[in-house]
Amino acid sequence: MTIIDGHCDVLYKMYENRELDFYNPQTTALDVTYSRMVQSGVKIQFFAIFLPDKIRQPYFEHYLEYINIFYQKIISDPRIKLIKNQTDLLEVMSGNQKGAVLTLEGADAIQDNPLYTQTLFHLGIRLIGATWNYGNWAADGVLEPRKGGFSRKGKRFIKECNDLGIMIDVSHLSEKSFWDVAVLSEKPFVATHSNAKAICGHPRNLDDNQIRVLIQKQGRIGITFVPWFVNDQGSASISDLTKHIDHICALGGEKHLVLGSDFDGISKWIPDLEHAGQYNHLAECLSKYYKDEWINDFFFRNWYRFLQRHLPAR
Ligand SMILES: [Zn+2]
């Protein structure tokens, strides 16, 4: 099995607890560890930088602190290589190393400073969600009561990301913000960890019109394992996930559907899909309904094709 997973919060847990060891096979406090990646065949893992809400004044230095953890504790080991461009991607896919893509969930501390955006790019950030669930200088998130879209500065930020080669993540955006991206982004964009609202009504999920435009613009939708985004009762099973996959495929998304587990960002798990070493259970369930070729598309090829197209050449 080969897997590319578009979202996890390992760095958040490591930011909160500096003792956690990603490479120690005994580590069970992390859903994603190197050993579990090996166990399942996770070839590329996206690592998100996320500043929790309790940081009332997010500063750029908070990002640097996260990036420092990422460099010191994830990619200092030669078993995982930071993927910054197409050459790195090819090298990882054809070699023994695993790959890491560094992402930012919430641009709060960028504060409309293009120097910060450029510096984050140089340090390896390749995908940014402008905001988390709430509003900031750039955009409103999905739970912000005023339900706004992108600000003037935020709209300029979309263009800056497009120009630099930073992919845009719409997963936590309000509906208006989503449609601002759909109109303004010159490049395809991604919902790294969101499911289908038609199957589960949670506001973090995407309605059919949003899914259609993502498909039409050659973006990607990452199926996520957060139980309350999977079914309305919040006690989901693996077979409930297939309903989201079926629905997105029925809308024409079989080449756009990817994985975005949200491992380490969740406190409740789908039974038998509780950490990165258990993707085989999802594969077993899917193999009852889908050809291997499709499962491989969902598990890595759709992500791979997107990265090939949208990572900078070098
Ligand atoms: Zn998230």
Side-chain angles (χ1 to χ4, degrees):
M1 238 172 22
T2 304
I3 291 157
I4 298 179
D5 178 34
H7 189 87
C8 82
D9 283 307
V10 161
L11 295 181
Y12 172 54
K13 279 194 184 162
M14 294 180 86
Y15 178 85
E16 294 283 300
N17 177 359
R18 308 292 164 106
E19 305 296 308
L20 289 173
D21 182 353
F22 185 78
Y23 287 96
N24 183 347
Q26 314 304 332
T27 302
T28 52
L30 292 173
D31 302 337
V32 182
T33 61
Y34 181 75
S35 311
R36 285 171 168 175
M37 286 174 72
V38 170
Q39 200 182 330
S40 273
V42 179
K43 188 66 170 160
I44 297 173
Q45 178 66 59
F46 287 44
F47 291 86
I49 292 173
F50 163 71
L51 303 185
D53 221 29
K54 67 179 181 205
I55 301 177
R56 300 281 286 269
Q57 290 289 343
Y59 293 114
F60 192 70
E61 219 173 282
H62 288 115
Y63 292 156
L64 295 180
E65 215 180 330
Y66 257 91
I67 292 171
N68 211 32
I69 293 171
F70 176 73
Y71 272 76
Q72 280 182 348
K73 298 190 168 177
I74 307 284
I75 56 163
S76 57
D77 189 300
R79 285 174 285 181
I80 297 191
K81 180 184 172 66
L82 173 61
I83 296 177
K84 291 168 94 169
N85 55 42
Q86 289 171 30
T87 314
D88 297 334
L89 178 70
L90 257 175
E91 234 179 272
V92 163
M93 290 306 283
S94 58
N96 293 324
Q97 277 180 304
K98 296 191 177 295
V101 176
L102 186 59
T103 75
L104 179 60
E105 189 171 35
D108 299 55
I110 292 179
Q111 290 296 355
D112 192 34
N113 187 340
L115 181 63
Y116 285 171
T117 316
Q118 284 162 31
T119 303
L120 291 175
F121 176 79
H122 294 315
L123 290 171
I125 301 260
R126 288 296 177 269
L127 174 138
I128 297 183
T131 187
W132 190 64
N133 284 339
Y134 304 107
N136 63 16
W137 64 272
D140 275 4
V142 71
L143 299 182
E144 181 61 45
R146 70 184 166 192
K147 298 184 191 304
F150 271 75
S151 66
R152 185 183 64 89
K153 291 173 177 176
K155 288 177 178 172
R156 192 162 61 194
F157 179 63
I158 295 176
K159 181 157 177 26
E160 282 165 9
C161 288
N162 280 168
D163 292 348
L164 273 171
I166 296 177
M167 299 171 277
I168 292 175
D169 188 359
V170 294
S171 257
H172 281 273
L173 299 185
S174 69
E175 238 182 285
K176 257 195 180 156
S177 296
F178 176 99
W179 288 107
D180 281 341
V181 172
V183 170
L184 293 170
S185 179
E186 287 158 10
K187 302 216 175 125
F189 51 96
V190 192
T192 54
H193 53 307
S194 295
N195 291 335
K197 208 175 255 177
I199 306 295
C200 167
H202 195 284
R204 276 277 284 97
N205 289 341
L206 300 170
D207 68 32
D208 287 358
N209 287 331
Q210 292 175 308
I211 295 172
R212 280 195 198 97
V213 81
L214 267 163
I215 292 169
Q216 186 203 327
K217 292 192 175 275
Q218 299 306 321
R220 295 293 184 265
I221 310 154
I223 288 290
T224 191
F225 309 157
V226 185
W228 44 96
F229 304 170
V230 176
N231 79 25
D232 290 319
Q233 284 75 46
S235 57
S237 64
I238 290 182
S239 70
D240 289 328
L241 274 180
T242 62
K243 294 175 194 161
H244 292 270
I245 295 172
D246 280 347
H247 186 78
I248 293 166
C249 289
L251 294 171
E254 73 271 10
K255 296 285 180 199
H256 308 83
L257 199 149
V258 294
L259 297 178
S261 70
D262 211 2
F263 278 138
D264 291 300
I266 47 183
S267 49
K268 202 176 154 199
W269 296 262
I270 295 172
D272 296 328
L273 195 54
E274 289 154 49
H275 60 72
Q278 295 189 326
Y279 284 99
N280 59 317
H281 297 140
L282 178 61
E284 275 161 32
C285 178
L286 290 178
S287 66
K288 287 183 234 158
Y289 311 100
Y290 294 101
K291 285 184 288 191
D292 285 353
E293 208 190 309
W294 282 46
I295 297 172
N296 283 328
D297 280 347
F298 306 156
F299 275 26
F300 80 99
R301 262 197 235 115
N302 290 343
W303 250 136
Y304 179 65
R305 277 190 281 258
F306 191 83
L307 291 173
Q308 236 181 350
R309 226 165 285 155
H310 299 294
L311 281 171
R314 73 187 77 138

